[in-house]
Amino acid sequence: MKLPIIYSDKHKLHAPPLEIYDDLKEEYSEKPERIEAIHKKLTEEHFGEFISPLEFPEEVIKSMHHRAYVDFLSTRSRNLKEGEVLYPSYFITDTYIAVTPGTYTAAVESVNIALTGAQKVLNGEKLVYSLCRPPGHHAEERSMGGYCFFNNASIAADMMSKKGRVAILDIDFHHGNGTQNMFYERSDVLYVSIHADPALKYPYKTGYLDEVGKGIGLGFNKNYPLPLETGDAEYLPVLRRALQEVQSFNPDYIVLSAGFDTYEKDPIGGFKLTVPFYEAIGQEIKALNISTLVVQEGGYAVDALGDMARNLLKGLSFTS
Ligand code: Q9C
Ligand code: ZN
């Protein structure tokens, strides 16, 4: 049985030229080539079967995002003329992110990719890869940020939570502030994240050890902030502890927010993980023997993304 990989080329509609950072304009790191590099590698290696996403009603997005934010993004994006770029000042948590005429369509498609994957896992697939772009884990209920518009993994996890217990494991280099916030006061979805110390790296405001959930959600949020320069050897025991946390929650499903910006040569990261190590990460997760939806988040070293994705999936695969 081939690994289902949910993919659409509509992400190319979102390709802002520049991001603004501390008053500097630089190339937009979150570019279409990222997903195309992964698509190309997995195609060449006949790794998995590419499947187009289904369409889901906008109301599903509005079940996790405030409708005023969704409507704002929809209107502002679609009212732009070709070639226009908007740097919004509302419903946003930082200065990097840019909106183009195709942004809303691409962001909705990214959610559809996650939801199509979620549905397949609910229907009994043990492993599905949702090749989402734009990424999602920095998107909060009423704000975009960190290259993210809608929180693909959270919307998928919420849908899956109606059928069973869901643990979200976030291994992107950055803390998933959006995902944490969305489930902070819930006990039916566990959020566990391993990421760079937010005192030093984006998103700065969240991702600290003492954020452990609130109210009924107390104890169902767990952060593992790590120092810069963290390598394979230091990462592995932390991953194992995080996975113990996941296992003791006894989930029916795992949603893996998979970022490859932990890679040693990532241009905006700061860890030192090597390309072969992503297979070990996959194997550790697979050892739990829990149905897993992999949702693509960050990762900006375009030339190595295909190899990292293949290695992670190889480690996660039950067949090979
Ligand atoms: N000039 C994700 O990985 N900082 N988002 C960029 C580069 C923003 C990353 C600074 C980091 C956001 C999904
Ligand atoms: Zn990231």
Side-chain angles (χ1 to χ4, degrees):
M1 198 173 58
K2 281 208 143 187
L3 168 73
I5 303 170
I6 322 301
Y7 166 85
S8 156
D9 64 4
K10 281 192 191 163
H11 72 86
K12 295 177 188 167
L13 294 170
H14 171 67
L18 298 168
E19 59 186 66
I20 301 174
Y21 183 65
D22 280 355
D23 207 31
L24 296 170
K25 290 197 173 90
E26 35 188 75
E27 188 194 12
Y28 201 81
S29 302
E30 201 289 282
K31 49 191 172 190
E33 290 83 349
R34 300 175 52 244
I35 269 16
E36 291 309 292
I38 296 174
H39 180 262
K40 181 163 179 270
K41 174 69 72 178
L42 298 178
T43 303
E44 279 168 9
E45 301 198 357
H46 306 285
F47 203 107
E49 174 193 4
F50 288 92
I51 297 167
S52 297
L54 305 169
E55 259 182 63
F56 290 81
E58 194 187 55
E59 282 306 309
V60 184
I61 297 177
K62 287 179 170 168
S63 71
M64 296 301 278
H65 289 281
H66 199 285
R67 59 181 59 245
Y69 164 56
V70 179
D71 292 341
F72 170 85
L73 185 62
S74 165
T75 308
R76 294 307 304 270
S77 173
R78 296 199 284 200
N79 284 349
L80 293 171
K81 295 189 189 68
E82 194 174 339
E84 263 189 310
V85 183
L86 168 74
Y87 292 89
S89 29
Y90 297 101
F91 299 108
I92 189 162
T93 51
D94 58 49
T95 62
Y96 316 121
I97 202 164
V99 176
T100 67
T103 296
Y104 180 74
T105 306
V108 168
E109 188 77 340
S110 196
V111 173
N112 287 336
I113 288 173
L115 289 173
T116 303
Q119 216 163 58
K120 288 205 172 288
V121 172
L122 292 177
N123 288 338
E125 291 283 353
K126 282 224 88 171
L127 179 68
V128 179
Y129 183 28
S130 286
L131 202 29
C132 293
R133 179 182 178 272
H137 74 156
H138 299 305
E140 300 184 4
E141 187 194 1
R142 46 177 89 209
S143 54
M144 59 192 115
Y147 311 134
C148 302
F149 298 91
F150 298 136
N151 199 315
N152 311 309
S154 290
I155 298 169
D158 182 60
M159 180 169 108
M160 294 164 83
S161 74
K162 297 183 168 98
K163 308 280 169 168
R165 293 167 69 77
V166 181
I168 304 171
L169 175 63
D170 190 331
I171 58 168
D172 187 276
F173 175 77
H174 306 93
H175 179 247
N177 55 291
T179 311
Q180 169 170 302
N181 285 1
M182 282 181 171
F183 296 104
Y184 209 62
E185 295 185 51
R186 282 176 60 168
S187 60
D188 61 329
V189 176
L190 174 73
Y191 180 67
V192 178
S193 179
I194 308 171
H195 51 265
D197 182 352
L200 306 170
K201 287 285 178 178
Y202 190 91
Y204 306 109
K205 57 180 180 168
T206 57
Y208 298 92
L209 258 179
D210 61 355
E211 295 157 17
V212 291
K214 192 179 159 195
I216 193 182
L218 192 67
F220 297 97
N221 193 89
K222 185 91 189 167
N223 287 322
Y224 292 93
L226 294 177
L228 297 183
E229 311 269 289
T230 291
D232 301 347
E234 298 86 47
Y235 194 92
L236 189 60
V238 179
L239 175 66
R240 288 188 173 146
R241 269 183 53 202
L243 286 171
Q244 276 169 14
E245 199 78 36
V246 168
Q247 192 163 30
S248 48
F249 180 72
N250 193 24
D252 299 296
Y253 308 108
I254 292 175
V255 173
L256 180 67
S257 262
F260 298 120
D261 36 10
T262 44
Y263 169 51
E264 57 183 340
K265 291 181 194 144
D266 190 275
I268 73 172
F271 284 175
K272 294 209 165 311
L273 304 194
T274 63
V275 171
F277 185 66
Y278 289 88
E279 184 170 352
I281 296 179
Q283 285 166 346
E284 293 289 329
I285 299 168
K286 178 183 63 179
L288 299 189
N289 195 25
I290 298 167
S291 300
T292 300
L293 173 67
V294 181
V295 176
Q296 186 61 50
E297 300 284 359
Y300 307 95
V302 172
D303 293 344
L305 286 176
D307 287 324
M308 291 188 277
R310 185 244 288 113
N311 288 351
L312 178 71
L313 295 169
K314 204 169 149 205
L316 280 166
S317 291
F318 289 88
T319 41
S320 66

